[in-house]
Amino acid sequence: EPEVTQTPSHQVTQMGQEVILRCVPISNHLYFYWYRQILGQKVEFLVSFYNNEISEKSEIFDDQFSVERPDGSNFTLKIRSTKLEDSAMYFCASNPGYANTGELFFGEGSRLTVL
Amino acid sequence: RKEVEQDPGPFNVPEGATVAFNCTYSNSASQSFFWYRQDCRKEPKLLMSVYSSGNEDGRFTAQLNRASQYISLLIRDSKLSDSATYLCVVKLTTSGTYKYIFGTGTRLKVLA
């Protein structure tokens, strides 16, 4: 069964360092998302991406964040200068974009720990 | 008012019990509705979509009331393995894309 894959599964970094989280969405999907979940809190929307551009972003997704799909398969989230409060689980998700159940398919997540 | 609101729980129920979770949403333009299950430190996984006529999948029944903007999930004959957080998710179309809004989740603990 096709699945969304994310790397790394866990990354520890020092405050102020740049981090890149990688995702490979399901191959025929058209809509891509990043969510984050701080431990014990709700799943929060960061950004959606369609047709090679950001379609929507939340207030959390400030200038420190960026996304790109450099090669048609990978979908990356970059945090330029990490803060302690960026420590969270980051989930990538994708959706086929055609008429179906409309569900989101999630990767297993990348846990980011900022020290 | 929160976009998607759920009682965070926890709901502690004995094995075999029936338990119901509720969810309300604020945007009347919401198009599709889902219940996801999330185990501790894992990704959310689709439990079931919620259809206007209501739908059932084994021990799980989902209901939607568009007029009241209310979604429910009923779990019958609870199993220990049902212990998890149940996320209410609402989908709408905005800015030419699909937006999925998550509730805070309701934590269920099924006790032996």
Side-chain angles (χ1 to χ4, degrees):
Chain A
E1 187 179 318
E3 57 183 21
V4 177
T5 56
Q6 288 187 242
T7 53
S9 55
H10 188 193
Q11 182 155 357
V12 181
T13 190
Q14 295 291 324
M15 195 168 55
Q17 293 297 303
E18 177 182 282
V19 158
I20 297 176
L21 305 178
R22 292 184 167 79
C23 170
V24 180
I26 296 172
S27 64
N28 60 345
H29 285 196
L30 301 177
Y31 294 86
F32 312 112
Y33 303 82
W34 282 101
Y35 287 83
R36 82 168 185 193
Q37 187 174 33
I38 295 169
L39 189 62
Q41 297 188 24
K42 67 180 287 187
V43 176
E44 299 176 292
F45 169 73
L46 291 178
V47 66
S48 58
F49 194 86
Y50 170 69
N51 202 25
N52 286 320
E53 60 182 22
I54 290 174
S55 39
E56 188 167 354
K57 57 186 179 179
S58 71
E59 293 173 355
I60 303 167
F61 195 89
D62 61 21
D63 292 345
Q64 293 301 310
F65 290 87
S66 63
V67 288
E68 63 176 7
R69 197 153 182 258
D71 56 10
S73 61
N74 290 284
F75 178 49
T76 62
L77 174 70
K78 183 194 289 187
I79 309 175
R80 269 184 260 287
S81 178
T82 48
K83 306 183 188 70
L84 295 176
E85 55 265 36
D86 292 328
S87 294
M89 182 74 99
Y90 289 81
F91 291 110
C92 175
S94 68
N95 173 277
Y98 46 82
N100 63 353
T101 62
E103 71 176 279
L104 269 182
F105 294 79
F106 281 87
E108 292 187 341
S110 292
R111 179 169 302 282
L112 177 64
T113 302
V114 182
L115 303 176
Chain B
R1 184 180 170 186
K2 289 181 185 174
E3 289 184 288
V4 179
E5 199 150 3
Q6 294 182 251
D7 180 343
F11 283 57
N12 295 322
V13 303
E15 255 186 307
T18 295
V19 61
F21 304 139
N22 302 321
C23 170
T24 56
Y25 60 95
S26 60
N27 192 327
S28 59
S30 300
Q31 300 166 305
S32 304
F33 310 90
F34 309 90
W35 284 101
Y36 275 73
R37 170 193 168 128
Q38 187 177 28
D39 293 294
C40 190
R41 296 181 176 240
K42 299 284 190 183
E43 77 276 22
K45 290 186 177 174
L46 181 69
L47 178 66
M48 58 197 303
S49 303
V50 186
Y51 303 120
S52 297
S53 53
N55 48 300
E56 189 174 305
D57 182 2
R59 299 182 292 108
F60 300 86
T61 301
Q63 298 277 353
L64 167 64
N65 184 323
R66 283 189 186 268
S68 304
Q69 296 182 197
Y70 170 92
I71 307 154
S72 66
L73 175 69
L74 184 78
I75 305 176
R76 289 181 298 279
D77 188 23
S78 301
K79 313 286 184 199
L80 294 175
S81 57
D82 293 333
S83 297
T85 297
Y86 290 83
L87 306 172
C88 175
V89 182
V90 168
K91 175 189 168 191
L92 56 146
T93 301
T94 175
S95 307
T97 190
Y98 301 126
K99 184 174 181 179
Y100 294 80
I101 304 168
F102 285 72
T104 52
T106 300
R107 201 148 58 91
L108 171 67
K109 191 165 183 182
V110 181
L111 307 169

